[in-house]
Amino acid sequence: MLVERGLRVMNVDVIGRAYDIAANYLRRTGAIADNSATNDALLELIVQMFHRGETNPIRLANKAISHFEAAKLAA
């Protein structure tokens, strides 16, 4: 992650890889639509976890999948 003048800059590569992994899995299971549109709820989960300090894309994806599926079950 980059830090410049006290501002945190998102590492787009980590977030992008985590989103790709999670979205691919959720599309295959039918949890999200099988199209090229970005799922905003999933992306927001990943960004929030990244801001909390998680920087491993696989761990981010797994946690996002768990949270996303739990939220769908609760609704």
Side-chain angles (χ1 to χ4, degrees):
M1 182 169 53
L2 303 172
V3 177
E4 184 175 317
R5 295 184 193 150
L7 299 174
R8 282 178 35 163
V9 179
M10 265 193 288
N11 188 333
V12 178
D13 184 48
V14 170
I15 292 173
R17 285 188 288 158
Y19 178 83
D20 287 342
I21 293 166
N24 185 39
Y25 173 81
L26 291 169
R27 282 187 186 110
R28 288 177 182 241
T29 61
I32 61 175
D34 192 14
N35 59 25
S36 61
T38 302
N39 185 292
D40 293 332
L42 178 62
L43 182 60
E44 184 63 30
L45 279 172
I46 293 171
V47 170
Q48 287 174 2
M49 285 184 252
F50 181 82
H51 283 298
R52 286 186 215 135
E54 183 60 64
T55 58
N56 182 303
I58 295 172
R59 200 169 312 136
L60 269 171
N62 287 335
K63 287 181 179 181
I65 290 167
S66 296
H67 286 278
F68 190 86
E69 289 177 333
K72 275 203 117 154
L73 289 175

